[in-house]
Structures are given as C-alpha cells and as structure tokens.
Amino acid sequence: MALEHAILVSLLEKPGSGYELARRFERSIGYFWTATHQQIYRVLKRMVGDGWIDVREVPQQGRPDKKEYSVAGPGREALARWLREPVEPEGLRHDLAVKIRGAAFGDPAELVDEVERHRRVHAERLTHYLAGERRDFTGPEAPPALDAGQELQHAVLRGGIAYERMTLAWLDDFLATLRRIGSGRR
Amino acid sequence: MALEHAILVSLLEKPGSGYELARRFERSIGYFWTATHQQIYRVLKRMVGDGWIDVREVPQQGRPDKKEYSVAGPGREALARWLREPVEPEGLRHDLAVKIRGAAFGDPAELVDEVERHRRVHAERLTHYLAGERRDFTGPEAPPALDAGQELQHAVLRGGIAYERMTLAWLDDFLATLRRIGSGRR
DNA sequence: CCTAGCATGTAAGCTGTTACATGATTTG
DNA sequence: CAAATCATGTAACAGCTTACATGCTAGG
C-alpha cells in the first residue's frame, strides 16, 4: 500500500541501502510506519524492476559491500501521484482496548501489570521523541532556521509526541478504572 | 492475531451471528479493532472447529435463518490465557504522516484539502463517540449504576474520545504548518 | 572467543482486502 | 420497481510476520 511511498520519501530525504532503510524504519519515519528488513528488500527489488529507484554498488572497507538506492524520475512521479490521491483516515488498532473489555470476564486486577508495562514503554517513547525534538529542532544544537522539509518533519514529530502524551493519560485512566472496580467478577 | 479474542469478547458480551458480529465491528468494539464479514466468517469456522465456540441454528420469520454463536468452555479458557499473555504496545500507522514528510518534495499546498478532509472525518467520529457516551454512560437515559463491564467499556470509549481530540489538534497543527511554509519547493 | 553490528536474502504461513456470488424481505 | 438490509459464504491476491540462512568485521 504505502510502504513503497514511505521508502520513496526516506530515499529522497537521503539515499541508502536496504539495511539503512530498515534502521530508519526503527526510528524516524518508523514512528508512523513500521517495516522489517524482509519486507523492505522485497519491495526494493520490485521498485528497481519498476524503474522507481536506481541501485549503485558501493564497495566498503571493513564492512560488506552495500547497494545504495536512490529515487529515479518515475519514482518521483509515483510519489507525486500518491500525494494527490486521497488516503483513508485510519483508526486505532489496540489489543489493549480489547483486553480491557475482556477483563470484565476474567480478573481485572490481573491486567494492572500489563497496563503498567505499556505505560513504561510509552513513557520511554515520549522521552525518546522529546530528546529527538531537542536535538533536531528546538535545542541549542539544532539549525537556527529550518527549511520546509525540516518544518514538516517537526510537525510530524509533534504528532508523535501528542500521541504518546495522550496514550499515557489514557493508560492512567485505565489503571484508575481497574483499581476502582477492584477484582470483582461479574 | 487478536481477531479471535476480539470475537470472544464480543460474543461474551452478547451471543450473535456472523452478520451481527460484522455490524459490531463497524462500531463499539470496531473502534479499536476492525474486521470485515469475510474475515469473521473464516475465523468463526475455525473457532467452531477448535471448540472455542458453539453454533445454534436459529430459524427466523421474514428473515433468513441465522447461526447464533456463543462462547464455549475452551474459548473462555483461551481468552483467559490471552489476557495473561503480554501483547506488544502498538505504535501509530499513519499514511498521512508519510504524506506530510513527502510534501517537502512536492507542493505542500496540495495537501491542504486532504488534511482538511481527514479533519472532517475525525470531527465526525468524535461527535459520534460523544453521542454514544451520553447514550450509554453519562446521559439521562444511561443506567444509574454501572457494573464492572460497563465501567471498562466506558474507559475504552474515553480512550477513543481522547484519541480523536488529539488527532484533531494534530491536524490543525499540520494545517498551520503547511500554510506557514506556503507553496515553497525545496 | 563471543557478541554485536553490518549486509543481504529465501520460504512458509498467516492475515487482510477485493471481488464475486446468492437469495429473501422490507422500505420508499 | 428499485434500493437497502439481512444473511452466508468462496476465491484470488496482496501484504505482513516468523523462521531460516549466510558471512564478514570490530570491540570487549
């Protein structure tokens, strides 16, 4: 669906190998779109076949050689087309919400640890995003003036920060609710 | 992964047919987990085979007969097991965030309509959730005292409301950013 | 010496989407 | 009379996940 397009955006921001793309999908662009190396290699192959991207073998010392991919004309056009196409507004997909509703048929108290674990993960992500924001956009090390691309990246990151803050508040609400109803069974 | 479990929760809340489940996945539990009727029928068949649920043919007048599914012992146990298993905290998956970053390589102004369209959809969802909250939990028609299951459903719905509010603020931020950088190209 | 990181892939299986297919009844 | 709703399914395909597979170098 959009993995191709996410790869195009990432390669326009900076050309790189399949491995490097996989790393980027663990952070940066990966905050909003995840992909594993297996998916990425498969899609890269197809995109080269379609003429969307070019490959260049880059010999390296001390490391295995790599293939550096960069966006070709047809790839740029494909991205521009996709930007003009409407995409579906996406909803949430939360295992945890299903679990919370399921808790009514088990022991709600047993879910407390799980919710607290999620809370820790989201708190860490928030810290990580805030550090990235300071590093790249708001801190003393950040460039004094941002170009359009950086402004947009910052806006996307602010969205991630807002999401994590909202999620933390939501999980606190869950914990309060779980504790209020105690370990009662219905 | 969790479609089986979402179905178990829904059938515990109230037994019903595949068709009825498909309707519920368009609202209620579907706010956090979507599924189409094709997926649901396929999974129901498997769950009957595994002994997780029972089927009962219900003849109807004026309507086609239906198969009513209800949770069997092994299904209850499977749900209890899943509730004890940790699940991965999920991240976002937003086409729109990818598009926003891609806008730096096209005309950012072209995205304004798309973001506004998403804004309208999310505003509608928020209105819809708030109406549901009044109807089932906070309004004059709502039950005066809620049981544990209803408290948990309400907590989940509050999460949906918080998510839509956050998304609206985020989309407004996007629009302000797109307008600030104008239609400049880099 | 062992672990982590760099680098690339294949194969099998499961999940999800889209399209096709049928047929009755109710509502406008 | 047409469209919407109720009700159940099949088939083909696309996408994603998990496991397997290899091999080299740098650092502790």
Side-chain angles (χ1 to χ4, degrees):
Chain A
M1 261 280 289
L3 179 53
E4 285 92 333
H5 304 109
I7 288 176
L8 286 172
V9 170
S10 193
L11 289 179
L12 280 168
E13 285 174 357
K14 194 174 186 339
S17 68
Y19 187 84
E20 281 159 0
L21 282 169
R23 310 303 334 270
R24 290 182 209 171
F25 275 93
E26 284 166 13
R27 41 178 186 76
S28 173
I29 198 141
Y31 299 155
F32 298 94
W33 202 271
T34 52
T36 58
H37 77 274
Q38 293 90 337
Q39 276 178 76
I40 290 166
Y41 284 119
R42 200 204 298 143
V43 172
L44 283 174
K45 189 176 279 187
R46 187 170 67 226
M47 289 169 81
V48 170
D50 293 345
W52 288 17
I53 53 176
D54 296 320
V55 209
R56 194 169 61 93
E57 286 273 344
V58 178
Q60 297 186 116
Q61 306 106 304
R63 290 179 185 189
D65 295 353
K66 66 175 180 179
K67 295 179 186 171
E68 196 180 73
Y69 296 92
S70 52
V71 179
R76 249 178 193 276
E77 283 157 34
L79 181 65
R81 266 199 309 281
W82 178 68
L83 287 176
R84 267 180 258 114
E85 266 167 37
V87 291
E88 274 305 294
E90 287 174 83
L92 287 172
R93 169 147 293 211
H94 265 287
D95 288 272
L96 203 56
V98 178
K99 277 199 172 188
I100 294 283
R101 284 178 68 145
F105 307 96
D107 183 356
E110 276 183 6
L111 264 182
V112 169
D113 286 354
E114 172 83 337
V115 176
E116 281 175 344
R117 192 174 60 83
H118 281 246
R119 203 196 178 288
R120 280 193 299 277
V121 171
H122 285 284
E124 260 169 54
R125 280 190 199 163
L126 176 59
T127 304
H128 181 66
Y129 288 5
L130 287 171
E133 189 185 33
R134 267 193 306 279
R135 187 187 60 238
D136 297 332
F137 304 115
T138 59
E141 305 282 290
L146 303 177
D147 65 27
Q150 289 167 328
E151 288 280 5
L152 291 168
Q153 281 189 38
H154 188 194
V156 169
L157 182 56
R158 284 196 300 273
I161 290 167
Y163 174 73
E164 296 303 334
R165 287 206 167 116
M166 182 236 34
T167 304
L168 284 173
W170 179 22
L171 293 175
D172 286 336
D173 184 5
F174 274 167
L175 284 172
T177 306
L178 286 172
R179 287 184 174 126
R180 193 168 63 245
I181 63 176
S183 54
R185 231 171 243 269
R186 84 163 176 194
Chain B
M1 256 307 286
L3 179 53
E4 284 92 335
H5 303 108
I7 288 175
L8 286 172
V9 170
S10 193
L11 288 179
L12 280 169
E13 286 174 357
K14 194 173 186 341
S17 67
Y19 187 84
E20 281 160 358
L21 282 170
R23 311 302 332 269
R24 290 182 210 171
F25 275 93
E26 286 167 12
R27 41 179 185 74
S28 172
I29 198 143
Y31 299 156
F32 298 93
W33 202 271
T34 53
T36 59
H37 78 274
Q38 293 90 336
Q39 277 177 75
I40 291 167
Y41 284 120
R42 201 205 289 153
V43 172
L44 282 173
K45 189 176 279 186
R46 186 169 68 226
M47 290 169 79
V48 171
D50 293 343
W52 286 18
I53 53 176
D54 296 321
V55 210
R56 193 169 62 92
E57 286 273 346
V58 179
Q60 297 187 116
Q61 305 107 306
R63 289 179 186 190
D65 295 353
K66 66 174 181 179
K67 295 180 186 172
E68 197 181 72
Y69 296 92
S70 52
V71 179
R76 250 178 192 276
E77 284 158 34
L79 180 65
R81 266 198 311 281
W82 178 68
L83 287 176
R84 266 179 259 115
E85 266 167 36
V87 290
E88 273 307 293
E90 287 175 83
L92 287 173
R93 169 149 292 214
H94 266 286
D95 287 272
L96 204 54
V98 178
K99 277 198 172 191
I100 296 283
R101 283 178 69 146
F105 307 97
D107 183 357
E110 276 182 5
L111 264 182
V112 169
D113 285 354
E114 172 84 336
V115 176
E116 281 176 344
R117 192 173 60 85
H118 280 246
R119 204 197 177 284
R120 280 193 299 277
V121 171
H122 285 284
E124 261 169 52
R125 281 190 200 162
L126 176 59
T127 304
H128 181 67
Y129 288 6
L130 287 171
E133 189 184 33
R134 269 192 305 280
R135 187 187 61 238
D136 297 332
F137 304 115
T138 59
E141 305 281 289
L146 304 176
D147 65 27
Q150 290 167 327
E151 288 279 7
L152 292 168
Q153 282 189 38
H154 188 195
V156 169
L157 182 56
R158 283 197 300 272
I161 290 168
Y163 173 73
E164 296 302 335
R165 287 205 167 116
M166 182 236 34
T167 304
L168 285 173
W170 178 23
L171 293 175
D172 286 336
D173 184 4
F174 274 168
L175 285 171
T177 305
L178 286 172
R179 288 185 173 124
R180 192 168 63 244
I181 64 175
S183 55
R185 230 169 243 268
R186 83 163 175 190

